[in-house]
Coordinates of all heavy atoms in Angstrom, one line a residue:
M7 N 324.8 120.2 158.5 CA 323.5 119.5 158.4 C 322.7 119.9 159.6 O 323.2 120.0 160.8 CB 323.8 118.0 158.5 CG 322.5 117.2 158.3 SD 322.8 115.4 158.2 CE 323.0 115.1 156.5
S8 N 321.5 120.3 159.4 CA 320.6 120.8 160.5 C 320.0 119.6 161.3 O 320.1 118.5 160.9 CB 319.5 121.6 159.9 OG 318.6 120.8 159.2
H9 N 319.4 119.9 162.4 CA 318.8 118.9 163.3 C 317.7 118.2 162.5 O 317.5 117.0 162.6 CB 318.2 119.5 164.6 CG 319.3 119.9 165.5 ND1 319.1 120.9 166.5 CD2 320.6 119.5 165.7 CE1 320.2 121.0 167.2 NE2 321.1 120.2 166.7
S10 N 316.9 119.0 161.8 CA 315.8 118.4 161.1 C 316.3 117.5 159.9 O 315.7 116.4 159.7 CB 314.8 119.4 160.5 OG 315.5 120.3 159.6
Q11 N 317.4 117.8 159.3 CA 318.0 117.0 158.3 C 318.5 115.7 158.9 O 318.4 114.6 158.3 CB 319.1 117.7 157.6 CG 318.6 118.8 156.6 CD 319.8 119.6 156.1 OE1 320.7 120.0 156.8 NE2 319.7 119.9 154.8
L12 N 319.1 115.8 160.1 CA 319.6 114.6 160.8 C 318.4 113.7 161.1 O 318.5 112.5 161.0 CB 320.3 115.0 162.1 CG 321.7 115.5 161.9 CD1 322.3 116.1 163.2 CD2 322.7 114.5 161.3
I13 N 317.4 114.3 161.6 CA 316.2 113.5 162.0 C 315.6 112.8 160.8 O 315.3 111.6 160.8 CB 315.1 114.3 162.7 CG1 315.6 114.8 164.1 CG2 313.8 113.6 162.8 CD1 314.8 115.8 164.7
E14 N 315.5 113.5 159.7 CA 315.0 112.9 158.4 C 315.9 111.7 158.0 O 315.5 110.7 157.5 CB 314.9 113.9 157.3 CG 313.8 114.9 157.5 CD 313.8 116.0 156.5 OE1 314.4 115.9 155.4 OE2 313.2 117.1 156.8
F15 N 317.3 111.9 158.1 CA 318.2 110.9 157.7 C 318.0 109.7 158.5 O 318.0 108.5 158.0 CB 319.7 111.4 157.8 CG 320.7 110.4 157.5 CD1 321.0 110.0 156.3 CD2 321.3 109.8 158.6 CE1 321.9 109.0 156.0 CE2 322.3 108.8 158.4 CZ 322.6 108.4 157.1
V16 N 317.9 109.8 159.8 CA 317.7 108.7 160.7 C 316.4 108.0 160.4 O 316.3 106.8 160.4 CB 317.9 109.1 162.2 CG1 317.5 108.0 163.1 CG2 319.3 109.6 162.5
D17 N 315.4 108.8 160.2 CA 314.1 108.2 159.9 C 314.1 107.3 158.7 O 313.3 106.3 158.6 CB 313.0 109.3 159.8 CG 312.6 109.9 161.2 OD1 313.0 109.3 162.2 OD2 312.0 110.9 161.2
R18 N 314.9 107.7 157.7 CA 315.0 107.0 156.4 C 315.9 105.8 156.5 O 316.0 104.9 155.6 CB 315.4 107.9 155.3 CG 314.4 108.9 154.8 CD 314.9 109.6 153.6 NE 316.3 110.0 153.6 CZ 316.7 111.2 153.9 NH1 315.9 112.1 154.3 NH2 318.0 111.5 153.9
S19 N 316.7 105.7 157.6 CA 317.7 104.7 157.7 C 317.2 103.3 158.1 O 316.1 103.2 158.7 CB 318.8 105.1 158.8 OG 319.4 106.2 158.4
S20 N 317.9 102.3 157.7 CA 317.4 100.9 158.0 C 317.7 100.7 159.5 O 318.5 101.4 160.1 CB 318.2 99.9 157.2 OG 319.6 99.9 157.6
P21 N 317.1 99.7 160.1 CA 317.3 99.3 161.5 C 318.8 99.0 161.7 O 319.4 99.4 162.8 CB 316.5 98.1 161.7 CG 315.3 98.2 160.8 CD 315.9 98.9 159.6
E22 N 319.5 98.3 160.8 CA 320.9 98.0 160.9 C 321.7 99.3 160.9 O 322.7 99.4 161.7 CB 321.3 97.1 159.8 CG 320.7 95.7 159.8 CD 319.4 95.7 159.2 OE1 318.9 96.6 158.5 OE2 318.7 94.6 159.3
D23 N 321.4 100.2 160.1 CA 322.2 101.5 160.1 C 321.9 102.3 161.3 O 322.8 102.9 161.9 CB 321.8 102.3 158.8 CG 322.4 101.8 157.6 OD1 323.3 101.0 157.6 OD2 321.9 102.2 156.5
R24 N 320.7 102.2 161.9 CA 320.4 102.9 163.1 C 321.2 102.3 164.3 O 321.7 103.0 165.1 CB 318.9 102.9 163.4 CG 318.1 103.7 162.5 CD 316.6 103.6 162.9 NE 315.8 104.3 161.9 CZ 314.5 104.3 161.9 NH1 313.9 103.8 162.9 NH2 313.9 105.0 161.0
L25 N 321.3 101.0 164.3 CA 322.1 100.3 165.3 C 323.5 100.7 165.2 O 324.2 101.0 166.3 CB 321.9 98.8 165.2 CG 322.6 98.0 166.2 CD1 322.1 98.3 167.6 CD2 322.5 96.5 165.9
F26 N 324.1 100.8 164.0 CA 325.5 101.2 163.8 C 325.7 102.6 164.3 O 326.6 102.9 165.0 CB 325.9 101.1 162.4 CG 327.3 101.6 162.1 CD1 328.4 100.9 162.4 CD2 327.4 102.9 161.7 CE1 329.7 101.5 162.2 CE2 328.6 103.5 161.5 CZ 329.8 102.7 161.7
L27 N 324.7 103.5 163.9 CA 324.8 104.9 164.3 C 324.8 105.1 165.8 O 325.5 105.8 166.4 CB 323.7 105.7 163.6 CG 323.6 107.2 163.9 CD1 324.9 107.9 163.4 CD2 322.4 107.8 163.2
H28 N 323.9 104.3 166.4 CA 323.8 104.4 167.9 C 325.1 104.0 168.6 O 325.6 104.6 169.5 CB 322.7 103.4 168.4 CG 322.6 103.3 169.9 ND1 322.1 104.3 170.7 CD2 323.0 102.3 170.7 CE1 322.2 103.9 171.9 NE2 322.7 102.7 172.0
A29 N 325.7 102.8 168.1 CA 327.0 102.4 168.7 C 328.1 103.4 168.4 O 328.9 103.7 169.3 CB 327.3 101.0 168.0
Y30 N 328.1 104.0 167.2 CA 329.1 105.0 166.9 C 329.0 106.2 167.8 O 329.9 106.7 168.4 CB 329.0 105.4 165.5 CG 330.0 106.5 165.1 CD1 331.4 106.2 165.1 CD2 329.6 107.8 164.9 CE1 332.3 107.2 164.8 CE2 330.5 108.8 164.6 CZ 331.8 108.5 164.6 OH 332.7 109.5 164.3
L31 N 327.7 106.7 168.0 CA 327.5 107.9 168.8 C 327.9 107.6 170.3 O 328.4 108.4 171.0 CB 326.1 108.4 168.7 CG 325.7 109.0 167.3 CD1 324.2 109.3 167.3 CD2 326.6 110.2 167.1
E32 N 327.6 106.4 170.8 CA 328.0 106.0 172.1 C 329.5 106.0 172.3 O 330.0 106.5 173.3 CB 327.5 104.6 172.5 CG 326.0 104.5 172.7 CD 325.7 105.0 174.1 OE1 326.5 104.8 175.1 OE2 324.6 105.5 174.3
H33 N 330.2 105.5 171.2 CA 331.6 105.5 171.3 C 332.2 106.9 171.3 O 333.1 107.3 172.1 CB 332.2 104.7 170.1 CG 333.7 105.0 169.9 ND1 334.6 104.4 170.7 CD2 334.3 105.7 169.0 CE1 335.8 104.8 170.3 NE2 335.7 105.6 169.3
V34 N 331.7 107.8 170.4 CA 332.1 109.2 170.4 C 331.9 109.9 171.7 O 332.8 110.6 172.2 CB 331.4 109.9 169.2 CG1 331.7 111.4 169.3 CG2 331.9 109.4 167.9
A35 N 330.7 109.6 172.3 CA 330.4 110.3 173.6 C 331.4 109.9 174.7 O 331.6 110.6 175.6 CB 329.0 110.0 174.0
R36 N 331.9 108.6 174.6 CA 332.7 108.1 175.7 C 334.2 108.2 175.3 O 335.1 107.8 176.2 CB 332.4 106.7 176.0 CG 330.9 106.5 176.5 CD 330.5 105.1 176.7 NE 331.4 104.5 177.7 CZ 331.5 103.2 177.9 NH1 330.9 102.4 177.2 NH2 332.3 102.8 178.9
A37 N 334.6 108.5 174.1 CA 336.0 108.4 173.6 C 337.0 109.2 174.5 O 338.1 108.8 174.6 CB 336.1 108.9 172.2
S38 N 336.6 110.3 175.1 CA 337.5 111.1 175.9 C 337.5 110.6 177.4 O 338.3 111.2 178.2 CB 337.2 112.6 175.8 OG 335.9 112.8 176.4
D39 N 336.7 109.6 177.7 CA 336.7 109.1 179.1 C 337.9 108.2 179.3 O 337.9 107.1 178.7 CB 335.4 108.4 179.3 CG 335.2 107.8 180.7 OD1 336.1 107.9 181.5 OD2 334.2 107.2 181.0
P40 N 338.8 108.5 180.2 CA 339.9 107.6 180.5 C 339.6 106.2 180.9 O 340.2 105.2 180.5 CB 340.7 108.3 181.6 CG 340.2 109.7 181.6 CD 338.8 109.7 181.1
E41 N 338.5 106.0 181.7 CA 338.1 104.7 182.1 C 337.7 103.9 180.9 O 337.9 102.7 180.7 CB 337.0 104.7 183.1 CG 336.6 103.3 183.6 CD 337.7 102.5 184.2 OE1 338.7 103.0 184.8 OE2 337.7 101.2 184.0
Y42 N 337.0 104.5 179.9 CA 336.5 103.8 178.7 C 337.8 103.3 177.9 O 337.8 102.2 177.4 CB 335.7 104.8 177.9 CG 335.2 104.2 176.6 CD1 334.3 103.1 176.5 CD2 335.5 104.8 175.4 CE1 333.8 102.6 175.3 CE2 335.1 104.3 174.2 CZ 334.2 103.2 174.1 OH 333.7 102.7 173.0
G43 N 338.8 104.2 177.8 CA 340.0 103.8 177.1 C 340.7 102.6 177.8 O 341.2 101.7 177.1
R44 N 340.7 102.6 179.1 CA 341.3 101.5 179.8 C 340.5 100.2 179.6 O 341.1 99.1 179.4 CB 341.4 101.8 181.3 CG 342.5 102.8 181.6 CD 342.8 103.0 183.1 NE 341.7 103.6 183.8 CZ 341.6 105.0 183.9 NH1 342.4 105.8 183.4 NH2 340.6 105.5 184.6
D45 N 339.2 100.3 179.6 CA 338.4 99.2 179.3 C 338.6 98.6 177.9 O 338.7 97.4 177.7 CB 336.9 99.6 179.5 CG 336.0 98.3 179.3 OD1 336.3 97.3 179.9 OD2 335.0 98.5 178.6
L46 N 338.8 99.5 176.9 CA 339.1 99.0 175.6 C 340.4 98.4 175.5 O 340.6 97.3 174.9 CB 339.0 100.2 174.6 CG 337.7 100.8 174.3 CD1 337.8 102.0 173.3 CD2 336.7 99.8 173.7
D47 N 341.4 98.9 176.3 CA 342.7 98.3 176.3 C 342.7 96.9 177.0 O 343.3 96.0 176.5 CB 343.7 99.2 177.1 CG 344.1 100.4 176.4 OD1 343.9 100.5 175.1 OD2 344.6 101.4 177.1
R48 N 341.9 96.8 178.0 CA 341.7 95.5 178.7 C 341.1 94.4 177.8 O 341.5 93.3 177.7 CB 340.9 95.6 180.0 CG 341.6 96.1 181.2 CD 340.8 96.0 182.4 NE 339.5 96.8 182.4 CZ 339.4 98.0 182.8 NH1 340.5 98.7 183.3 NH2 338.2 98.7 182.7
R49 N 340.1 94.9 177.0 CA 339.4 94.0 176.1 C 340.4 93.5 175.0 O 340.4 92.4 174.6 CB 338.2 94.6 175.5 CG 337.1 94.8 176.5 CD 335.9 95.6 175.9 NE 334.9 95.9 176.9 CZ 333.7 95.9 176.7 NH1 333.2 95.5 175.5 NH2 332.8 96.2 177.7
L50 N 341.2 94.5 174.5 CA 342.1 94.1 173.4 C 343.2 93.1 173.9 O 343.5 92.2 173.2 CB 342.8 95.4 172.9 CG 343.8 95.2 171.8 CD1 343.2 94.5 170.6 CD2 344.4 96.5 171.4
E51 N 343.7 93.4 175.1 CA 344.6 92.4 175.7 C 344.0 91.0 175.9 O 344.7 90.0 175.6 CB 345.2 93.0 177.0 CG 346.1 94.1 176.8 CD 347.3 93.8 175.9 OE1 347.9 92.7 176.1 OE2 347.6 94.6 175.0
A52 N 342.8 91.0 176.3 CA 342.1 89.7 176.5 C 342.0 89.0 175.1 O 342.2 87.7 175.1 CB 340.7 89.9 177.1
M53 N 341.7 89.7 174.1 CA 341.6 89.1 172.8 C 342.9 88.6 172.3 O 343.1 87.5 171.8 CB 341.0 90.1 171.7 CG 339.5 90.3 172.0 SD 338.7 91.6 170.9 CE 339.9 92.0 169.7
R54 N 344.0 89.4 172.5 CA 345.3 89.0 172.1 C 345.8 87.7 172.9 O 346.6 86.9 172.4 CB 346.3 90.1 172.4 CG 346.2 91.2 171.3 CD 347.2 92.3 171.5 NE 347.1 93.3 170.5 CZ 347.4 94.6 170.6 NH1 347.9 95.0 171.8 NH2 347.3 95.4 169.6
A55 N 345.3 87.6 174.1 CA 345.6 86.4 175.0 C 344.8 85.2 174.6 O 345.0 84.1 175.2 CB 345.4 86.8 176.4
G56 N 344.0 85.3 173.6 CA 343.2 84.1 173.1 C 341.8 84.1 173.6 O 341.0 83.2 173.3
N57 N 341.3 85.1 174.4 CA 340.0 85.1 174.8 C 339.1 85.9 173.8 O 338.8 87.1 173.9 CB 339.9 85.9 176.2 CG 338.5 85.8 176.8 OD1 337.6 85.2 176.3 ND2 338.3 86.6 177.8
E58 N 338.8 85.2 172.7 CA 338.1 85.8 171.6 C 337.0 84.9 171.1 O 336.9 83.8 171.5 CB 339.1 86.1 170.5 CG 339.8 84.9 170.0 CD 340.9 85.2 169.0 OE1 341.5 86.3 169.1 OE2 341.2 84.3 168.2
V59 N 336.1 85.5 170.3 CA 335.0 84.7 169.8 C 335.1 84.8 168.3 O 335.2 85.8 167.7 CB 333.6 85.4 170.2 CG1 332.4 84.7 169.6 CG2 333.5 85.4 171.7
R60 N 335.0 83.6 167.7 CA 335.1 83.5 166.2 C 333.8 84.1 165.6 O 332.7 84.0 166.3 CB 335.3 82.1 165.8 CG 336.6 81.5 166.1 CD 336.7 80.1 165.7 NE 335.4 79.5 165.5 CZ 335.1 78.5 164.7 NH1 336.1 77.9 164.0 NH2 333.9 78.0 164.6
L61 N 333.9 84.7 164.5 CA 332.7 85.3 163.8 C 331.6 84.2 163.6 O 330.4 84.5 163.9 CB 333.1 85.9 162.5 CG 332.0 86.5 161.7 CD1 331.3 87.6 162.5 CD2 332.5 87.1 160.3
E62 N 332.0 83.0 163.2 CA 331.0 82.0 163.0 C 330.3 81.6 164.3 O 329.0 81.4 164.3 CB 331.6 80.7 162.4 CG 330.6 79.6 162.0 CD 329.5 80.1 161.0 OE1 329.8 81.0 160.2 OE2 328.4 79.6 161.1
D63 N 331.0 81.6 165.4 CA 330.3 81.3 166.7 C 329.4 82.4 167.1 O 328.3 82.2 167.6 CB 331.4 81.1 167.8 CG 332.2 79.8 167.5 OD1 331.8 78.9 166.8 OD2 333.4 79.8 168.0
A64 N 329.8 83.7 166.8 CA 328.9 84.8 167.1 C 327.7 84.7 166.3 O 326.6 85.0 166.8 CB 329.7 86.1 166.9
R65 N 327.8 84.4 165.0 CA 326.6 84.3 164.2 C 325.7 83.2 164.7 O 324.4 83.4 164.7 CB 327.0 84.0 162.7 CG 327.6 85.2 162.0 CD 327.8 84.9 160.6 NE 328.2 86.1 159.9 CZ 329.2 86.2 159.0 NH1 329.8 85.1 158.6 NH2 329.5 87.3 158.4
K66 N 326.2 82.0 165.1 CA 325.4 81.0 165.6 C 324.6 81.4 166.9 O 323.4 81.1 167.0 CB 326.2 79.7 165.9 CG 326.7 79.0 164.6 CD 327.5 77.8 165.0 CE 328.0 77.1 163.7 NZ 328.9 76.0 164.0
L67 N 325.3 82.1 167.7 CA 324.7 82.6 168.9 C 323.6 83.6 168.6 O 322.5 83.5 169.2 CB 325.7 83.2 169.9 CG 325.2 83.9 171.1 CD1 324.5 82.9 172.0 CD2 326.3 84.6 171.9
H68 N 323.9 84.5 167.7 CA 322.9 85.5 167.3 C 321.6 84.8 166.7 O 320.5 85.1 167.1 CB 323.5 86.4 166.2 CG 322.5 87.3 165.6 ND1 322.0 88.4 166.3 CD2 321.9 87.3 164.4 CE1 321.1 89.0 165.5 NE2 321.1 88.4 164.4
E69 N 321.8 83.8 165.8 CA 320.7 83.1 165.2 C 319.9 82.4 166.3 O 318.7 82.3 166.2 CB 321.2 82.1 164.2 CG 321.7 82.8 162.9 CD 322.5 81.8 162.0 OE1 322.5 80.6 162.3 OE2 323.1 82.4 161.0
A70 N 320.6 81.8 167.3 CA 319.9 81.1 168.4 C 319.0 82.1 169.2 O 317.9 81.8 169.5 CB 320.8 80.4 169.3
L71 N 319.6 83.2 169.5 CA 318.8 84.3 170.2 C 317.7 84.8 169.4 O 316.5 85.0 170.0 CB 319.8 85.4 170.6 CG 320.8 85.1 171.6 CD1 321.8 86.2 171.8 CD2 320.2 84.7 173.0
V72 N 317.8 85.0 168.1 CA 316.7 85.5 167.3 C 315.6 84.4 167.2 O 314.4 84.7 167.3 CB 317.3 85.8 165.8 CG1 316.1 86.0 164.9 CG2 318.1 87.0 165.9
S73 N 316.0 83.2 167.1 CA 315.0 82.1 167.0 C 314.2 82.0 168.3 O 313.1 81.5 168.3 CB 315.6 80.8 166.7 OG 316.4 80.3 167.8
Q74 N 314.8 82.5 169.5 CA 314.1 82.5 170.7 C 313.3 83.8 171.0 O 312.7 84.0 172.0 CB 315.1 82.3 171.9 CG 315.8 81.0 171.9 CD 316.9 80.9 172.9 OE1 316.8 81.6 173.9 NE2 317.8 80.0 172.7
G75 N 313.4 84.7 170.0 CA 312.7 85.9 170.1 C 313.4 86.9 171.0 O 312.8 87.9 171.4
L76 N 314.7 86.8 171.2 CA 315.5 87.7 172.0 C 316.3 88.6 171.1 O 316.7 88.4 170.1 CB 316.4 86.9 172.9 CG 315.7 86.0 173.9 CD1 316.7 85.2 174.7 CD2 314.8 86.8 174.8

């Protein structure tokens, strides 16, 4: 796929798809960074230890932020 084809694809994408693509590209760019890997490991361990957010709570927080214009 050429650069111009990529640009056209992104231009046609929804805001949600662009956000996903951005997050994915950030991950790919950092995937070989050892510190990034350690950070992901720390986060996973924290979740396993019970420091997690339920999906419903995250949705409520998101809705509250959207209603405030954030």
Side-chain angles (χ1 to χ4, degrees):
M7 187 177 267
S8 70
H9 289 157
S10 61
Q11 289 172 315
L12 285 170
I13 291 169
E14 289 174 20
F15 174 78
V16 171
D17 286 346
R18 289 191 314 267
S19 297
S20 69
E22 293 83 11
D23 287 342
R24 288 180 189 177
L25 182 61
F26 173 83
L27 182 59
H28 173 77
Y30 176 73
L31 291 174
E32 285 281 329
H33 168 73
V34 169
R36 297 178 63 198
S38 62
D39 178 0
E41 181 57 33
Y42 179 63
R44 288 189 289 275
D45 184 46
L46 291 177
D47 288 341
R48 281 190 297 271
R49 291 175 187 219
L50 180 58
E51 287 303 314
M53 289 177 8
R54 286 181 176 153
N57 185 10
E58 54 190 29
V59 177
R60 294 177 337 152
L61 179 58
E62 184 58 32
D63 294 336
R65 284 187 175 141
K66 287 179 183 177
L67 176 60
H68 172 74
E69 290 168 7
L71 292 170
V72 167
S73 72
Q74 295 174 24
L76 301 175

